[in-house]
Amino acid sequence: VGSEMCIRDRNRVSDGDIVIVEMTGLLGRDMELQLAVSNIQEFVEGDICGQVVRLGSSRLLLLPPSFDSARVH
């Protein structure tokens, strides 16, 4: 992952697929990592109204707007 989400992942989450993005390559570069996560959140949460969920320290789970997660009350 560079500073932007790859087109393939954007298309997949836009089409309703659940996508896991591996961020390991950016872990030592704080500014690039923050920019990449910000760009991903802007697209997924802002543009298509999906969700971004952190999976451990190096992965993001991208959920399309069509995904209904069960919420624990």
Side-chain angles (χ1 to χ4, degrees):
V1 170
S3 62
E4 292 186 25
M5 227 172 109
C6 77
I7 299 298
R8 183 189 73 226
D9 289 339
R10 282 180 182 253
N11 289 341
R12 288 177 56 208
V13 75
S14 293
D15 289 343
D17 293 338
I18 296 171
V19 177
I20 296 176
V21 178
E22 181 64 55
M23 305 297 283
T24 303
L26 296 176
L27 287 181
R29 300 176 283 178
D30 291 340
M31 292 297 289
E32 289 180 58
L33 179 61
Q34 289 176 5
L35 181 59
V37 171
S38 177
N39 286 339
I40 290 169
Q41 285 180 306
E42 184 178 320
F43 174 73
V44 174
E45 295 175 352
D47 294 347
I48 66 168
C49 299
Q51 293 180 348
V52 176
V53 179
R54 182 175 164 190
L55 291 178
S57 62
S58 64
R59 294 185 186 122
L60 297 175
L61 177 66
L62 312 182
L63 301 173
S66 59
F67 183 81
D68 290 325
S69 59
R71 302 213 185 259
V72 178
H73 297 279

